[in-house]
């Protein structure tokens, strides 16, 4: 495997920093709600950049490096999509206005990239010093795979971890947002806004995700340059991807099973590699074990295949269709009632809610019956209609178009 020169490292880091700065000054600095076309365009651009970079790695570094990069990138991208579920719950829990969510996500991405770079350097140092670390990484991934099989994404319950609890305890914030500002004045005193709290929550939660993703990519390649670039490119387009597929996230009902299979495969690959390089005294007397290792090409093919099957099965699932429709209606109702204050955008959200309710009514009777049993959802929708009528009567909303 060819070594990577210092010049290539500097140019790569400069390019990634440049993309982040471009993202901030062109898209995020001015708060706005990204439309589907904008999100689709920039997601495709970032994915294309990652693919072209991988082609360059393949051409200049050889097929082995190319396969390892693409296996790492696809795995990290898939794990990032799963992480979007948690981001969605966090942004909903903190009632972040839609137009301000871009800045929160970009901040989380920057914090995550810095933290993961530290984890990557630490992981590389551990691998170079202790061959047995592959056993630990493999165990982490196998345990994570098991947890994914039993993990449920609860629509009504926001994620909670030590980072969020500490932030809530020590950061004194105002009760209301002031645009996308981090500080505001309340009763003549300068205080933090909830925007900073949600940024800490997003960034801290993403750091916790790295405890799973970094061992996963080290299971596919031990080349630090490939680990760093695959991780970085999977994060760079995450903000655009969120706005592109947030309405489809709940449709991916089998994603956790697919990710469990992928992490389980990489975990086994790590353990087999650890056995092949074994120097642990109580395993085979400290001598390497003659086992078959999983080639990178096989890993790449299996990862892509599992993801394709997972996505296709999810999209064809009646359960996924019903779950998507119900979750979309629930989010729009919450956004209309609790988050948005701009009358024009509020009206747009309400029109979207009406369209989503039409989709609920178009579901098969079996799925509609299950949704009708969700008392909280039905009450939420009824409350949204009552509030809209009150706002129209008060002249605070536009009258919805009728067909």
């Amino acid at each position: 495997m060819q070594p990577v020169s210092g010049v290539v490292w500097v140019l790569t880091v400069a390019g990634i920093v440049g993309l982040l700065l471009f993202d901030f000054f062109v898209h995020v600095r001015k708060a706005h709600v990204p439309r589907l076309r904008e999100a689709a365009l920039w997601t495709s651009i970032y994915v294309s950049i990652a693919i072209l970079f991988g082609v360059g790695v393949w051409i200049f570094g050889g097929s082995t490096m190319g396969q390892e990069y693409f296996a790492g990138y696809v795995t990290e991208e898939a794990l990032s999509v799963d992480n979007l579920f948690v981001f969605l719950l966090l942004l909903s829990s903190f009632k972040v206005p839609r137009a301000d969510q871009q800045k929160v996500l970009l901040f989380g991405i920057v914090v995550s990239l810095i933290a993961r770079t530290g984890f990557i350097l630490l992981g590389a140092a551990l691998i170079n010093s202790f061959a047995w670390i592959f056993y630990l990484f493999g165990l982490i991934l196998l345990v994570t795979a098991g947890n994914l099989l039993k993990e449920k994404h609860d629509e009504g319950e926001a994620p909670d971890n030590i980072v969020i609890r500490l932030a809530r305890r020590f950061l004194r914030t105002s009760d209301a947002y002031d645009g996308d500002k981090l500080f505001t004045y309340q009763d003549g005193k300068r205080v933090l806004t909830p925007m900073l709290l949600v940024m800490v929550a997003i960034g801290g939660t993403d750091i916790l995700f790295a405890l799973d993703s970094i061992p996963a990519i080290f299971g596919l390649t031990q080349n630090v340059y490939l680990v760093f670039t695959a991780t970085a490119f999977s994060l760079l387009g995450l903000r655009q991807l969120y706005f592109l597929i947030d309405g489809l996230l709940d449709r991916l009902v089998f994603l956790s099973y697919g990710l469990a299979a992928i992490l389980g495969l990489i975990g086994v690959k790590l353990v087999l590699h650890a056995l092949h390089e074994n120097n642990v005294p109580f395993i085979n007397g400290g001598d390497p074990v003659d086992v078959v290792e999983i080639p990178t090409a096989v890993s790449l093919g299996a990862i892509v295949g599992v993801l394709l099957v997972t996505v296709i099965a999810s999209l064809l699932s009646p359960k996924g269709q019903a779950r998507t429709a119900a979750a979309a209606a629930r989010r729009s109702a919450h956004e209309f009632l609790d988050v948005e204050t701009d009358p024009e955008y509020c009206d747009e959200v309400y029109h979207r809610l009406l369209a989503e309710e039409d989709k609920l009514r178009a579901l098969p009777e079996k799925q509609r019956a299950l949704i009708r049993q969700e008392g909280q959802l039905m009450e939420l929708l009824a409350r949204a209609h009552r509030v809209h009528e009150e706002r129209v009567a008060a002249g605070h909303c536009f009258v919805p178009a009728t067909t």
Side-chain angles (χ1 to χ4, degrees), residues 9-153:
W9 266 104
V10 170
L11 291 175
T12 302
V13 172
I16 291 171
V17 172
L19 287 173
L20 288 171
L21 291 174
F22 173 83
D23 217 7
F24 176 76
F25 286 105
V26 175
H27 296 113
V28 176
R29 191 175 185 182
K30 183 179 179 181
H32 70 285
V33 181
R35 302 301 179 184
L36 183 62
R37 182 178 179 181
E38 177 188 342
L41 173 64
W42 286 103
T43 297
S44 63
I45 288 175
Y46 275 97
V47 171
S48 298
I49 291 173
I51 292 174
L52 288 175
F53 180 85
V55 171
V57 170
W58 198 302
I59 293 173
F60 295 104
S63 60
T64 299
M65 286 185 69
Q67 291 172 6
E68 290 181 354
Y69 167 80
F70 279 114
Y73 172 72
V74 172
T75 300
E76 291 295 305
E77 194 69 38
L79 290 170
S80 295
V81 171
D82 192 50
N83 296 348
L84 290 181
F85 281 103
V86 180
F87 291 170
L88 186 63
L89 291 174
L90 278 170
L91 293 173
S92 176
S93 172
F94 284 98
K95 300 179 180 179
V96 182
R98 185 79 165 170
D100 299 324
Q101 291 179 3
Q102 292 199 89
K103 180 172 285 189
V104 174
L105 289 170
L106 184 61
F107 176 85
I109 289 169
V110 172
V111 170
S112 177
L113 185 56
I114 294 172
R116 292 188 189 206
T117 300
F119 281 130
I120 289 168
L121 296 176
L122 176 61
L126 290 174
I127 288 171
N128 290 332
S129 302
F130 310 103
W132 54 262
I133 202 69
F134 287 109
Y135 286 115
L136 179 60
F137 282 179
L139 179 62
I140 290 173
L141 295 184
L142 291 173
V143 171
T144 302
N147 290 334
L148 281 173
L149 291 176
K150 62 183 181 180
E151 182 177 283
K152 300 293 182 183
H153 295 289

Side-chain angles (χ1 to χ4, degrees), residues 135-384:
Y135 286 115
L136 179 60
F137 282 179
L139 179 62
I140 290 173
L141 295 184
L142 291 173
V143 171
T144 302
N147 290 334
L148 281 173
L149 291 176
K150 62 183 181 180
E151 182 177 283
K152 300 293 182 183
H153 295 289
D154 190 339
E155 285 289 342
E157 183 178 347
D160 186 31
N161 55 50
I162 187 171
V163 175
I164 298 174
R165 290 195 295 271
L166 288 174
R168 287 186 184 276
R169 180 176 179 181
F170 292 106
L171 294 181
R172 305 293 182 181
T173 63
S174 63
D175 296 328
Y177 290 91
D178 185 4
D180 61 358
K181 296 178 181 177
L182 300 183
F183 299 91
T184 189
Y185 286 90
Q186 192 174 61
D187 298 328
K189 296 181 180 179
R190 194 166 187 253
V191 296
L192 302 174
T193 69
M195 182 64 69
L196 183 59
L197 181 60
V198 69
M199 284 182 171
V200 172
I202 289 282
T205 302
D206 212 9
I207 290 173
L208 296 179
F209 289 147
L211 299 178
D212 297 330
S213 67
I214 297 304
I217 194 170
F218 268 118
L220 297 167
T221 177
Q222 285 82 61
N223 186 310
V224 177
Y225 180 76
L226 297 183
V227 172
F228 171 75
T229 52
T231 300
F233 282 117
S234 71
L235 290 172
L236 281 175
L238 196 58
R239 179 188 61 79
Q240 294 86 351
L241 187 63
Y242 172 84
F243 289 98
L244 177 63
I245 70 170
D246 67 338
L248 294 176
L249 283 174
D250 300 283
R251 187 76 171 267
L252 302 177
V253 291
F254 301 125
L255 180 61
S256 291
Y257 299 103
L259 290 177
I262 291 172
L263 293 182
L265 169 68
I266 300 174
V268 170
K269 178 180 171 71
L270 276 168
V271 172
L272 291 175
H273 181 73
L275 288 171
H276 191 265
E277 302 289 333
N278 180 63
N279 60 7
V280 179
F282 56 83
I283 298 178
N284 197 37
D287 296 324
V289 180
D290 187 16
V291 293
V292 177
E293 293 199 70
I294 302 175
T296 302
V298 173
S299 301
L300 177 58
I303 290 167
V304 173
V306 167
L307 287 176
L308 285 175
V309 170
T310 298
V311 171
I312 292 173
S314 295
L315 294 178
L316 295 178
S317 166
K319 177 184 176 183
Q321 295 173 8
R323 180 173 169 177
T324 301
R330 181 184 292 108
R331 283 197 297 272
S332 291
H334 273 304
E335 190 173 2
F336 177 77
L337 290 168
D338 302 326
V339 178
E340 293 300 334
T341 56
D342 184 322
E344 184 174 352
Y345 186 61
C346 215
D347 180 66
E348 181 181 325
V349 172
Y350 186 74
H351 278 76
R352 188 170 72 229
L353 174 61
L354 294 178
E356 286 157 357
E357 289 182 298
D358 288 339
K359 292 180 182 178
L360 289 176
R361 285 188 284 269
L363 292 171
E365 176 56 32
K366 180 180 178 181
Q367 302 298 335
R368 291 204 310 271
L370 292 175
I371 290 174
R372 284 196 295 268
Q373 293 174 11
E374 296 187 31
Q376 289 184 342
L377 173 60
M378 303 311 294
E379 170 56 29
L380 184 67
L381 297 178
R383 187 160 64 93

